[in-house]
Amino acid sequence: MTSQKKTCWIVVPAAGIGSRMGAVCPKQYLPLAGKTVLENTLERLLKLPDIAGIVLVLHAEDHHWNTMSLAQNPKIHKIIGGDERCNSVLNALDFLARKAASDDWVLVHDAARPCVSLDSIIELVDVVQQHSVGGILGVPVSDTLKQVEGGSIQSTANRNLLWHAQTPQMFRLGLLKTCLQRALSEGKVITDESSAVECYGYHPLMVQGRSDNIKITRPEDLAIAAMLIQQQLSN
């Protein structure tokens, strides 16, 4: 990022309880490669050049974060999240609206994606800076996808048109805040930041990332993430 580019902030929603992991603590605090999942993610994001700061969104009853050394990092701003991920992101955008300009960029990244490549994020920023709407990282679908109803296959989707959405997802603060507020007030189902923007006729860019930018969702994902991190460190 150069001085001619608009300011970039990062939002990390980490207020979930990770129920699908079946663990005694939220998945962002599970051990991974000698640290927690969240520490791995944040340490990677802090290596990005010229970011204005990170807004970390936590559960109101989070008792883990303040015990970590990163809690003292001046670039990390802690706020309380909402009931759902989209509410947590909107809380972060409300916080940023008091600090940043409406045309500053915001990158929203899952706390449970600790293996994201810095090169992928930098490419996303470089490409999307030139776009009027924003964009996200993703990878093309490689598996054959079936539409199923009542246990029976109804059709086969054209996978050439389909991509797996990843994070970060990058949008201007004002646009994303407006779209999220409107979508929530209208009761729309919002699965990621891009879907909120798409609801109102905008067409974000899809920037190809890497398949190792996995999201830790189930217990077996931890072992895969540990292997990927070890491999990345050895390269």
Side-chain angles (χ1 to χ4, degrees), residues 133-146:
V133 176
I136 74 173
L137 284 182
V139 291
V141 167
S142 57
D143 297 318
T144 298
L145 298 179
K146 304 291 187 181

Side-chain angles (χ1 to χ4, degrees), residues 126-197:
D126 287 345
V127 171
V128 173
Q129 287 268 0
Q130 313 305 319
H131 195 261
S132 60
V133 176
I136 74 173
L137 284 182
V139 291
V141 167
S142 57
D143 297 318
T144 298
L145 298 179
K146 304 291 187 181
Q147 182 173 340
V148 178
E149 185 176 338
S152 298
I153 295 172
Q154 304 300 309
S155 62
T156 300
N158 180 0
R159 68 184 181 191
N160 294 326
L161 302 177
L162 301 175
W163 288 59
H164 292 288
Q166 299 179 339
T167 67
Q169 302 197 357
M170 177 174 169
F171 297 96
R172 294 191 186 276
L173 169 60
L175 174 65
L176 182 56
K177 185 172 180 289
T178 297
C179 290
L180 265 178
Q181 284 176 326
R182 183 177 172 187
L184 288 173
S185 69
E186 295 175 356
K188 295 186 183 295
V189 176
I190 302 301
T191 55
D192 65 354
E193 291 66 52
S194 183
S195 66
V197 171

